Amino acid sequence: MPDIAAKIIKHNKAIVVIFTLLTIISAVAMLFVHVNYNMNDYIPEESPSTVAIEVMEAEFDSKMPNLQVMITDVSVQEALAYKEMLGEIDGVSDVTWLDDMFDLTVPLEMAEQDLLDSYYQEQNALFSMRVQEGEEVQVTDEIYELIGEENALAGEAADTAISQSMAFTETMYAAALLIPIIIIILVLSTNSWIEPVFFLTAIGVSVLINLGTNIFIGEISFITQSVAPILQLAVSLDYAIFLLHSFQEQRKNTASPEEAMQMAIKKSFPAIAASAATTFFGFMALAFMQFEIGADLGLNLVKGILLSFISVMVFLPALTILFYKWIDKTEHRPFIPAFRNIGKGILKVRYVSLILVFLVIVPAFLAQQETNFIYGVGEQPEDTRLGRDEVKIDEVFGQSTPAVLLVPRGDVAREAELEEALEEIDHVSSIVSYNQSVSPAIPPEYLDESVTEQFLSENHSQIIVYTETESEGELAFSVVESILETASSFYGDEYHALGESVSLYDLKTIIQHDNTVVNYLTVIAIAIVLLFTFRSLSLPVVLLLTIQSAVWINLAVPYFTDTPLVFVGYLVVGTVQLAATVDYAILFSENYMHNRKVMPARQAIMKTVDDKTFSISISAGILASVGLILWITSTNPIVSSIGLLLGRGAILAFIMVLFFLPAVLFVFDKVIGKTTLKAKFYREDQ
């Protein structure tokens, strides 16, 4: 390490130039990285709903509708005119309305009431259509212009359009709020006005390089684009703080800044490496998710942590040595006085801390397993146009979600029996199929292809089942199960099912499996890193218990407040919070073990609390700020959910490390001493 440190110092100008060029190239490259806004693309290819979509696209020209438009106060003729105008918009196909299901030359009174209510009620017309992937923003903008404020649109395409149009804007808005807050926190924690700029430059460079190198991956999800850069900044800023604080300490004892930096690199390397390793392997666990959003985000964060580590250990020392005089010229007195006698107070309440946590931990563990989850993107806020439009449509037409069954073509009688059975299922409002819309008595060969193509392909018949449910939830999934069981009773495994509810039902099954895998892998990976870091059997257990308890309490809050939680947020934060905040426990424990070699347990705890409370509060403050600002600024329910959980999780982890960890270390001091290799704890009789 000393040889490498010396080379970094010697070639500092070349290193700064190389990193500057890489940053510029990456900033340009990131503009060409494709962002995917379609959650369904991340469901595994072998899942039943994904296979069904492939069959549908291969055999039918029409696709599942992904947008609904409601026009209010219109006659049948006016509604037909709107249908024609909607169909003429580039990117829109398969516009469906009442005239596709019923002969409008016949009086409406002759139509089945359920069918009529699905498309036309009290002079309100509801159209279903398909918007081509990639055209969502342009199409929804044109539809808004056509229908005006008094009418409404909703659906997957509208959700995608909102995510697409707001993702970059909201990320920039979050960064604009976040960076000043981080600068204020860093100014308060340092003795130089310029040091925070060095911190942010080192991590900012690694964030931009990470974003630019995504061009080699091909594309990233909108969740990764929204969350990963800010998470990388918040999680890895600690590395820069460790290094520059060590540099300032070494300058007091060395003759030159160059020598001080070499010593700082050497001294801070173990702590930074341990911190980066726990985060690295924690994020790596996300890559094992079957739901590929996890792999997408995990790979990006792992790459980001690695780049941040390299930037801090190579670029930051070179930059600091090149401009260290600026640090000297911009010195200021400490704004926050040193923390004194906090440790004494923490020790006084140690048994209260232990009892409170042990009383809460079991209910929290059980509660976080019972939370009501949302598996899709979640509901749009009602203070947005889309949120208001969704409410408008539901108020008039009720909730309606289509599911499509593709069954082997040829047995008309069996199809008719299946449709009768499907109509008997609770909350199934209507069936649209060849038998229902034309007649089982009329052979398809006698009709024009334009009439049959939407229902029949060479191999399959298409049956659309409309349900009076939301796209997900306990009731929606129960209805999906009933539909699948009914289809299976007629066709065994020879049918396919697709639709938003069906995809989310598949996703629920996949994610529940992912949750178990990711949680176990995260805990095992971090435990192994801690085992090698501390060479102790007991300390990894103590540290993991401390942070995992904070995770359980955090994830239990939605259960006790009866708030549904977006599952992607739950899954990501369960991993991210553990991987990111275990650093606080590592920093505290390392200092305690060092102090314990030269003083008794009581004094070692008190000194560690006094010395490290400020450093840990800075790290927790930055991560909490990141999370809460994501929560406040994002209209995307997934990103907002991740932000709230992350912000609250950072605060809870800080409280646990400040109160619970010292209590456990003190009470189990003898056990830790006996189960740690070469602990060499101070003994008062020696």
Side-chain angles (χ1 to χ4, degrees):
M1 196 69 211
D3 291 340
I4 297 172
K7 288 179 181 178
I8 291 169
I9 304 307
K10 181 180 178 182
H11 300 291
N12 60 79
K13 289 182 182 177
I15 289 169
V16 170
V17 169
I18 290 168
F19 271 83
T20 302
L21 289 173
L22 285 173
T23 304
I24 293 169
I25 293 168
S26 298
V28 174
M30 64 183 268
L31 301 175
F32 298 94
V33 175
H34 180 255
V35 180
N36 190 335
Y37 296 87
N38 189 349
M39 293 279 284
N40 288 334
D41 286 351
Y42 294 94
I43 298 175
E45 292 181 6
E46 65 275 11
S47 70
S49 59
T50 305
V51 173
I53 290 170
E54 290 173 356
V55 172
M56 177 87 163
E57 291 180 349
E59 297 195 16
F60 289 88
D61 289 335
S62 61
K63 296 182 180 179
M64 281 289 293
N66 58 8
L67 192 69
Q68 290 182 313
V69 173
M70 183 179 76
I71 307 296
T72 60
D73 194 24
V74 287
S75 65
V76 170
Q77 292 306 314
E78 287 170 332
L80 289 170
Y82 267 107
K83 179 186 177 184
E84 187 176 346
M85 287 186 285
L86 289 167
E88 289 173 353
I89 295 173
D90 286 342
V92 170
S93 61
D94 304 320
V95 183
T96 303
W97 192 56
L98 182 61
D99 60 311
D100 296 296
M101 309 299 163
F102 179 75
D103 184 357
L104 293 181
T105 61
V106 177
L108 292 184
E109 291 77 13
M110 302 295 291
E112 287 186 22
Q113 194 60 45
D114 286 346
L115 178 65
L116 189 60
D117 288 347
S118 298
Y119 294 99
Y120 191 59
Q121 285 191 47
E122 299 173 358
Q123 291 196 303
N124 298 303
L126 185 64
F127 304 94
S128 296
M129 64 202 69
R130 179 75 190 182
V131 177
Q132 291 176 15
E133 192 171 334
E135 303 290 332
E136 292 90 352
V137 173
Q138 172 215 319
V139 167
T140 52
D141 285 346
E142 287 193 42
I143 293 176
Y144 278 133
E145 191 175 336
L146 173 66
I147 67 176
E149 286 290 329
E150 65 277 11
N151 299 306
L153 66 78
E156 285 181 272
D159 291 335
T160 300
I162 289 294
S163 298
Q164 195 166 342
S165 58
M166 296 303 292
F168 182 76
T169 306
E170 289 183 353
T171 301
M172 292 299 101
Y173 181 38
L177 285 175
L178 186 62
I179 290 173
I181 291 172
I182 290 178
I183 289 174
I184 291 168
I185 293 172
L186 292 176
V187 165
L188 292 174
S189 69
T190 61
N191 297 328
S192 168
W193 295 105
I194 202 69
E195 269 192 54
V197 177
F198 281 38
F199 296 152
L200 288 171
T201 300
I203 303 304
V205 161
S206 65
V207 168
L208 285 172
I209 293 174
N210 190 25
L211 289 170
T213 51
N214 285 332
I215 200 166
F216 298 111
I217 298 172
E219 70 173 22
I220 58 172
S221 71
F222 72 95
I223 293 175
T224 298
Q225 186 200 40
S226 301
V227 172
I230 296 175
L231 270 183
Q232 182 188 343
L233 173 68
V235 169
S236 56
L237 204 54
D238 286 352
Y239 313 160
I241 294 172
F242 288 169
L243 182 77
L244 283 195
H245 278 188
S246 180
F247 173 63
Q248 295 290 37
E249 286 296 316
Q250 295 303 321
R251 286 194 71 183
K252 297 173 185 176
N253 307 314
T254 52
S256 68
E258 289 80 8
E259 187 182 346
M261 183 55 80
Q262 285 189 50
M263 290 298 295
I265 292 172
K266 181 182 176 182
K267 294 281 186 183
S268 62
F269 180 82
I272 295 173
S275 179
T278 54
T279 313
F280 180 94
F281 288 112
F283 291 157
M284 183 69 81
L286 289 171
F288 289 89
M289 285 175 62
Q290 287 180 283
F291 182 41
E292 293 167 9
I293 283 279
D296 185 76
L297 180 60
L299 175 62
N300 209 271
L301 288 172
V302 162
K303 181 158 62 76
I305 292 302
L306 188 59
L307 288 167
S308 291
F309 178 73
I310 294 169
S311 180
V312 166
M313 299 310 299
V314 179
F315 173 67
L316 182 57
L319 182 71
T320 305
I321 289 303
L322 203 57
F323 299 107
Y324 73 89
K325 289 181 181 177
W326 291 10
I327 296 176
D328 296 342
K329 289 178 181 178
T330 58
E331 279 189 1
H332 60 75
R333 63 178 179 78
F335 290 113
I336 298 177
F339 287 81
R340 291 287 177 263
N341 298 322
I342 294 179
K344 193 173 182 181
I346 297 291
L347 269 185
K348 282 183 180 178
V349 298
R350 63 186 180 276
Y351 292 115
V352 175
S353 300
L354 287 172
I355 291 168
L356 277 175
V357 172
F358 285 124
L359 282 175
V360 167
I361 191 171
V362 173
F365 172 74
L366 296 173
Q368 57 94 31
Q369 293 183 314
E370 300 298 324
T371 299
N372 184 23
F373 293 114
I374 296 169
Y375 295 90
V377 296
E379 291 184 2
Q380 295 293 335
E382 287 193 24
D383 59 354
T384 63
R385 166 77 191 263
L386 182 55
R388 291 192 298 271
D389 282 3
E390 288 175 349
V391 172
K392 276 185 189 178
I393 294 173
D394 285 349
E395 284 176 350
V396 177
F397 288 94
Q399 293 166 337
S400 180
T401 304
V404 173
L405 293 174
L406 303 177
V407 300
R409 179 178 174 179
D411 192 336
V412 176
R414 185 157 50 155
E415 285 178 32
E417 286 179 32
L418 169 61
E419 289 163 17
E420 286 179 17
L422 291 169
E423 286 178 331
E424 294 299 315
I425 296 173
D426 287 342
H427 305 290
V428 168
S429 57
S430 62
I431 307 283
V432 176
S433 67
Y434 179 84
N435 294 335
Q436 300 287 326
S437 300
V438 185
S439 169
I442 302 174
E445 295 79 13
Y446 289 95
L447 298 174
D448 189 87
E449 189 179 341
S450 61
V451 177
T452 62
E453 64 182 358
Q454 61 180 313
F455 300 116
L456 304 172
S457 71
E458 185 180 346
N459 301 308
H460 291 93
S461 295
Q462 180 182 167
I463 302 170
I464 305 175
V465 185
Y466 285 92
T467 65
E468 299 170 333
T469 68
E470 295 182 348
S471 58
E472 63 173 302
E474 190 174 332
L475 176 60
F477 291 147
S478 172
V479 174
V480 168
E481 283 180 354
S482 297
I483 291 171
L484 298 180
E485 286 169 5
T486 303
S488 180
S489 69
F490 281 86
Y491 289 95
D493 294 330
E494 295 182 346
Y495 75 96
H496 299 286
L498 64 151
E500 188 178 3
S501 286
V502 179
S503 293
L504 291 173
Y505 180 75
D506 271 0
L507 190 55
K508 175 187 175 183
T509 308
I510 293 162
I511 284 181
Q512 286 176 336
H513 171 264
D514 284 343
N515 184 36
T516 305
V517 172
V518 169
N519 283 344
Y520 280 128
L521 284 176
T522 304
V523 170
I524 291 167
I526 291 176
I528 291 170
V529 173
L530 294 175
L531 189 67
F532 282 100
T533 300
F534 290 101
R535 294 180 297 178
S536 170
L537 293 175
S538 54
L539 270 175
V541 176
V542 170
L543 269 57
L544 281 170
L545 178 64
T546 301
I547 302 302
Q548 190 65 63
S549 298
V551 173
W552 289 335
I553 294 168
N554 186 19
L555 295 176
V557 171
Y559 172 79
F560 290 113
T561 57
D562 196 24
T563 306
L565 182 60
V566 178
F567 199 97
V568 175
Y570 168 83
L571 197 60
V572 169
V573 170
T575 303
V576 169
Q577 185 186 337
L578 180 61
T581 59
V582 75
D583 293 351
Y584 313 159
I586 291 173
L587 181 63
F588 188 96
S589 301
E590 279 188 332
N591 198 259
Y592 170 73
M593 296 298 283
H594 174 76
N595 290 334
R596 191 64 184 85
K597 293 179 191 297
V598 294
M599 61 185 72
R602 180 177 292 273
Q603 282 76 15
I605 285 288
M606 291 192 294
K607 180 171 172 53
T608 303
V609 172
D610 290 345
D611 289 350
K612 293 302 170 187
T613 296
F614 182 63
S615 298
I616 295 170
S617 66
I618 294 300
S619 298
I622 290 171
L623 189 57
S625 298
V626 166
L628 295 176
I629 284 174
L630 276 176
W631 173 51
I632 292 165
T633 59
S634 182
T635 58
N636 183 288
I638 294 178
V639 176
S640 178
S641 175
I642 289 173
L644 176 59
L645 289 168
L646 192 64
R648 188 169 61 214
I651 295 167
L652 286 167
F654 171 71
I655 292 169
M656 291 293 290
V657 169
L658 188 61
F659 288 93
F660 179 71
L661 181 57
V664 175
L665 290 175
F666 183 75
V667 171
F668 294 98
D669 177 77
K670 289 182 179 177
V671 175
I672 293 167
K674 290 178 180 177
T675 56
T676 301
L677 188 65
K678 298 180 181 178
K680 297 180 181 177
F681 277 6
Y682 173 84
R683 296 205 321 265
E684 295 188 47
D685 59 348
Q686 64 186 11

